Coordinates of all heavy atoms in Angstrom, one line a residue:
L1 N 10.3 0.8 13.5 CA 9.3 1.2 12.6 C 9.9 2.2 11.5 O 9.3 3.1 11.0 CB 8.2 2.0 13.3 CG 7.4 1.1 14.3 CD1 6.4 1.9 15.1 CD2 6.7 -0.1 13.6
V2 N 11.1 1.9 11.2 CA 11.9 2.7 10.1 C 12.1 1.7 8.9 O 12.7 0.7 9.1 CB 13.2 3.3 10.7 CG1 13.9 4.0 9.5 CG2 12.9 4.2 11.8
V3 N 11.7 2.2 7.8 CA 11.9 1.3 6.5 C 13.3 1.7 6.0 O 13.6 2.9 5.7 CB 10.9 1.6 5.5 CG1 11.2 0.9 4.2 CG2 9.5 1.3 6.0
E4 N 14.1 0.7 5.8 CA 15.4 0.9 5.2 C 15.6 -0.1 4.1 O 16.0 -1.2 4.3 CB 16.5 0.8 6.3 CG 16.5 1.8 7.3 CD 17.5 1.6 8.4 OE1 18.4 0.8 8.2 OE2 17.4 2.4 9.4
G5 N 15.2 0.3 2.9 CA 15.4 -0.5 1.7 C 14.5 -1.8 1.5 O 14.7 -2.6 0.7
A6 N 13.4 -1.8 2.3 CA 12.5 -3.0 2.2 C 11.5 -2.8 1.1 O 11.2 -1.6 0.7 CB 11.8 -3.1 3.6
R7 N 11.1 -3.9 0.5 CA 10.1 -3.8 -0.6 C 8.8 -4.4 0.0 O 8.8 -5.5 0.7 CB 10.6 -4.6 -1.7 CG 11.8 -4.1 -2.4 CD 12.6 -5.1 -3.1 NE 12.9 -6.1 -2.2 CZ 13.4 -7.3 -2.6 NH1 13.6 -7.6 -3.8 NH2 13.6 -8.2 -1.6
F8 N 7.7 -3.8 -0.4 CA 6.3 -4.1 0.1 C 5.4 -4.4 -1.0 O 5.3 -3.6 -2.0 CB 5.7 -3.1 1.0 CG 6.6 -2.8 2.2 CD1 7.6 -1.9 2.2 CD2 6.3 -3.5 3.4 CE1 8.4 -1.6 3.3 CE2 7.1 -3.3 4.5 CZ 8.2 -2.3 4.5
G9 N 4.7 -5.5 -1.0 CA 3.7 -5.9 -1.9 C 2.3 -5.8 -1.3 O 2.1 -6.3 -0.2
L10 N 1.4 -5.1 -1.8 CA 0.1 -5.0 -1.3 C -0.9 -5.8 -2.2 O -1.0 -5.6 -3.4 CB -0.4 -3.5 -1.3 CG 0.1 -2.6 -0.2 CD1 1.7 -2.4 -0.3 CD2 -0.6 -1.3 -0.2
A11 N -1.6 -6.7 -1.6 CA -2.6 -7.5 -2.3 C -4.0 -6.9 -1.9 O -4.3 -7.0 -0.7 CB -2.5 -9.0 -1.9
V12 N -4.6 -6.3 -2.8 CA -5.7 -5.4 -2.5 C -7.0 -5.8 -3.3 O -7.0 -5.9 -4.5 CB -5.4 -3.9 -2.9 CG1 -6.6 -3.0 -2.6 CG2 -4.1 -3.4 -2.2
S13 N -8.0 -6.0 -2.5 CA -9.3 -6.4 -3.1 C -10.0 -5.2 -3.7 O -10.0 -4.1 -3.2 CB -10.2 -7.0 -2.0 OG -11.5 -7.1 -2.4
R14 N -10.6 -5.4 -4.9 CA -11.4 -4.4 -5.5 C -12.9 -4.4 -5.0 O -13.5 -3.3 -5.0 CB -11.5 -4.6 -7.0 CG -10.2 -4.3 -7.8 CD -10.4 -4.2 -9.3 NE -11.2 -5.2 -9.9 CZ -10.7 -6.4 -10.3 NH1 -9.4 -6.6 -10.4 NH2 -11.6 -7.3 -10.8
F15 N -13.3 -5.5 -4.5 CA -14.7 -5.5 -3.9 C -14.8 -4.6 -2.7 O -13.8 -4.6 -1.9 CB -15.0 -7.0 -3.5 CG -16.5 -7.2 -3.3 CD1 -17.3 -7.4 -4.4 CD2 -17.0 -7.3 -2.1 CE1 -18.7 -7.6 -4.3 CE2 -18.4 -7.5 -1.9 CZ -19.2 -7.6 -3.0
N16 N -15.8 -4.0 -2.5 CA -16.0 -2.9 -1.4 C -14.9 -1.8 -1.6 O -14.3 -1.4 -0.6 CB -16.0 -3.5 0.0 CG -17.2 -4.3 0.3 OD1 -18.3 -3.9 -0.1 ND2 -17.0 -5.5 0.9
S17 N -14.7 -1.4 -2.8 CA -13.6 -0.4 -3.1 C -13.8 0.9 -2.4 O -12.7 1.5 -2.1 CB -13.5 -0.2 -4.7 OG -14.7 0.4 -5.1
L18 N -15.0 1.3 -2.1 CA -15.1 2.6 -1.3 C -14.3 2.5 0.0 O -13.7 3.4 0.4 CB -16.6 2.8 -1.0 CG -16.9 4.0 -0.1 CD1 -16.6 5.3 -0.8 CD2 -18.3 3.9 0.4
I19 N -14.4 1.3 0.6 CA -13.6 1.1 1.9 C -12.1 0.8 1.7 O -11.3 1.3 2.2 CB -14.3 0.0 2.7 CG1 -15.8 0.3 3.0 CG2 -13.5 -0.3 3.9 CD1 -16.0 1.6 3.8
V20 N -11.9 -0.2 0.7 CA -10.6 -0.7 0.5 C -9.6 0.4 -0.1 O -8.5 0.4 0.3 CB -10.7 -2.0 -0.4 CG1 -9.3 -2.6 -0.6 CG2 -11.6 -3.1 0.3
D21 N -10.2 1.2 -0.9 CA -9.3 2.3 -1.5 C -8.8 3.2 -0.3 O -7.6 3.6 -0.4 CB -10.0 3.2 -2.5 CG -10.4 2.4 -3.8 OD1 -9.8 1.3 -4.0 OD2 -11.2 3.0 -4.6
S22 N -9.6 3.4 0.7 CA -9.1 4.2 1.8 C -8.1 3.4 2.6 O -7.1 4.0 3.1 CB -10.3 4.6 2.7 OG -9.8 5.3 3.8
L23 N -8.2 2.1 2.8 CA -7.2 1.3 3.4 C -5.9 1.3 2.7 O -4.8 1.4 3.3 CB -7.7 -0.2 3.6 CG -8.9 -0.5 4.4 CD1 -9.4 -1.9 4.3 CD2 -8.7 -0.1 5.9
Q24 N -6.0 1.3 1.3 CA -4.8 1.3 0.5 C -4.1 2.6 0.7 O -2.9 2.7 0.9 CB -5.1 1.0 -1.0 CG -3.9 1.1 -1.8 CD -4.3 0.9 -3.3 OE1 -5.1 0.2 -3.7 NE2 -3.5 1.6 -4.2
R25 N -4.8 3.7 0.6 CA -4.2 5.0 0.9 C -3.5 5.1 2.2 O -2.4 5.7 2.4 CB -5.3 6.2 0.7 CG -5.6 6.4 -0.7 CD -6.5 7.7 -0.8 NE -7.7 7.7 -0.1 CZ -8.9 7.2 -0.6 NH1 -8.9 6.6 -1.7 NH2 -9.9 7.1 0.2
G26 N -4.1 4.6 3.2 CA -3.6 4.6 4.6 C -2.3 3.8 4.7 O -1.3 4.2 5.3
A27 N -2.3 2.6 4.0 CA -1.1 1.8 4.0 C 0.0 2.5 3.3 O 1.2 2.5 3.8 CB -1.4 0.4 3.4
V28 N -0.2 2.9 2.1 CA 0.8 3.6 1.3 C 1.4 4.8 2.0 O 2.6 5.0 2.1 CB 0.3 3.9 -0.1 CG1 1.3 4.8 -0.9 CG2 0.0 2.6 -0.9
D29 N 0.5 5.6 2.6 CA 0.9 6.8 3.3 C 1.8 6.4 4.5 O 2.9 7.0 4.7 CB -0.3 7.6 3.8 CG 0.1 8.8 4.6 OD1 0.7 9.7 4.0 OD2 -0.3 8.8 5.8
C30 N 1.4 5.4 5.2 CA 2.2 4.9 6.3 C 3.6 4.4 5.9 O 4.6 4.8 6.5 CB 1.5 3.8 7.1 SG 2.4 3.1 8.5
L31 N 3.6 3.7 4.9 CA 4.9 3.2 4.4 C 5.8 4.4 4.0 O 7.0 4.3 4.4 CB 4.7 2.2 3.2 CG 4.0 0.9 3.5 CD1 3.7 0.2 2.2 CD2 4.9 0.0 4.4
L32 N 5.3 5.3 3.3 CA 6.1 6.4 2.8 C 6.6 7.3 4.0 O 7.7 7.7 4.0 CB 5.3 7.3 1.8 CG 4.9 6.6 0.5 CD1 4.0 7.5 -0.4 CD2 6.2 6.2 -0.3
R33 N 5.7 7.5 5.0 CA 6.0 8.3 6.1 C 7.2 7.6 7.0 O 7.9 8.3 7.7 CB 4.8 8.6 7.0 CG 4.0 9.7 6.5 CD 2.8 10.1 7.4 NE 1.8 9.0 7.6 CZ 1.7 8.3 8.7 NH1 2.4 8.6 9.8 NH2 0.8 7.4 8.8
H34 N 7.2 6.3 6.9 CA 8.2 5.6 7.7 C 9.5 5.3 6.9 O 10.3 4.5 7.4 CB 7.6 4.3 8.3 CG 6.7 4.6 9.4 ND1 7.1 4.7 10.7 CD2 5.4 5.1 9.4 CE1 6.0 5.0 11.5 NE2 5.1 5.3 10.7
G35 N 9.6 5.9 5.7 CA 10.8 5.8 4.9 C 10.9 4.9 3.7 O 11.9 4.8 3.0
A36 N 9.8 4.2 3.3 CA 9.7 3.5 2.1 C 9.7 4.4 0.9 O 9.3 5.6 1.0 CB 8.4 2.7 2.0
K37 N 10.3 4.0 -0.2 CA 10.2 4.7 -1.4 C 9.1 4.2 -2.3 O 8.8 3.0 -2.3 CB 11.6 4.5 -2.2 CG 12.8 4.9 -1.4 CD 12.9 6.3 -1.1 CE 14.2 6.6 -0.3 NZ 14.0 7.4 0.9
E38 N 8.5 5.1 -3.1 CA 7.4 4.7 -4.0 C 7.8 3.4 -4.9 O 7.0 2.6 -5.1 CB 7.0 5.8 -4.8 CG 6.2 6.8 -4.1 CD 5.6 7.9 -5.0 OE1 5.7 7.8 -6.2 OE2 5.0 8.8 -4.5
R39 N 9.1 3.4 -5.4 CA 9.5 2.3 -6.2 C 9.6 1.0 -5.5 O 9.6 0.0 -6.2 CB 10.9 2.7 -6.8 CG 12.0 2.7 -5.8 CD 13.4 3.0 -6.4 NE 14.4 3.0 -5.4 CZ 14.8 4.1 -4.7 NH1 14.3 5.2 -5.0 NH2 15.7 4.0 -3.8
D40 N 9.5 1.0 -4.2 CA 9.6 -0.2 -3.4 C 8.2 -0.7 -2.9 O 8.1 -1.6 -2.0 CB 10.5 0.0 -2.2 CG 12.0 0.2 -2.6 OD1 12.4 -0.5 -3.6 OD2 12.7 0.9 -2.0
I41 N 7.1 0.0 -3.4 CA 5.8 -0.5 -3.1 C 5.1 -0.9 -4.4 O 5.1 -0.1 -5.4 CB 5.0 0.7 -2.5 CG1 5.7 1.2 -1.2 CG2 3.6 0.3 -2.2 CD1 5.2 2.5 -0.7
E42 N 4.5 -2.0 -4.4 CA 3.7 -2.5 -5.5 C 2.4 -3.0 -5.1 O 2.2 -3.8 -4.2 CB 4.5 -3.6 -6.3 CG 3.8 -4.1 -7.5 CD 4.7 -5.0 -8.4 OE1 5.1 -6.0 -7.9 OE2 5.0 -4.6 -9.5
V43 N 1.3 -2.5 -5.8 CA -0.1 -2.9 -5.6 C -0.5 -3.9 -6.6 O -0.4 -3.7 -7.8 CB -0.9 -1.7 -5.5 CG1 -2.4 -2.0 -5.3 CG2 -0.5 -0.7 -4.5
V44 N -1.1 -5.0 -6.1 CA -1.7 -6.0 -7.0 C -3.1 -6.1 -6.6 O -3.5 -6.4 -5.5 CB -1.0 -7.4 -6.8 CG1 -1.7 -8.4 -7.6 CG2 0.5 -7.3 -7.1
K45 N -4.0 -5.8 -7.6 CA -5.5 -5.8 -7.3 C -6.1 -7.2 -7.6 O -5.7 -7.8 -8.7 CB -6.1 -4.8 -8.2 CG -5.7 -3.3 -7.9 CD -6.5 -2.8 -6.7 CE -6.3 -1.3 -6.5 NZ -7.3 -0.7 -5.7
V46 N -7.0 -7.6 -6.8 CA -7.7 -8.9 -6.9 C -9.2 -8.6 -6.9 O -9.6 -7.6 -6.4 CB -7.2 -9.9 -5.9 CG1 -5.7 -10.1 -5.9 CG2 -7.7 -9.5 -4.5
P47 N -10.0 -9.5 -7.4 CA -11.4 -9.3 -7.4 C -12.0 -9.1 -6.0 O -12.8 -8.2 -5.8 CB -12.0 -10.5 -8.1 CG -10.9 -11.1 -8.9 CD -9.6 -10.7 -8.2
G48 N -11.7 -10.0 -5.1 CA -12.3 -9.9 -3.7 C -11.4 -10.5 -2.7 O -10.3 -11.0 -3.0

């Protein structure tokens, strides 16, 4: 569970954003706490 140079793409729905924004924060926080760099995380927003 240690990130070493991996790149992560997040495909994130905008629908139900009250909920999904929290899921996104949780995912990004987890990635960073396990060693990912901000530059290695990309979020792509989709309608639903």
Side-chain angles (χ1 to χ4, degrees):
L1 296 176
V2 177
V3 177
E4 295 179 12
R7 295 158 303 167
F8 298 89
L10 282 66
V12 180
S13 168
R14 285 193 319 265
F15 198 79
N16 289 319
S17 63
L18 175 73
I19 302 301
V20 181
D21 290 350
S22 182
L23 295 174
Q24 180 182 324
R25 285 191 299 274
V28 170
D29 178 64
C30 177
L31 291 170
L32 294 173
R33 282 186 294 110
H34 287 267
K37 306 294 183 228
E38 285 185 5
R39 68 179 179 267
D40 293 326
I41 302 169
E42 186 167 59
V43 175
V44 178
K45 295 281 190 161
V46 303

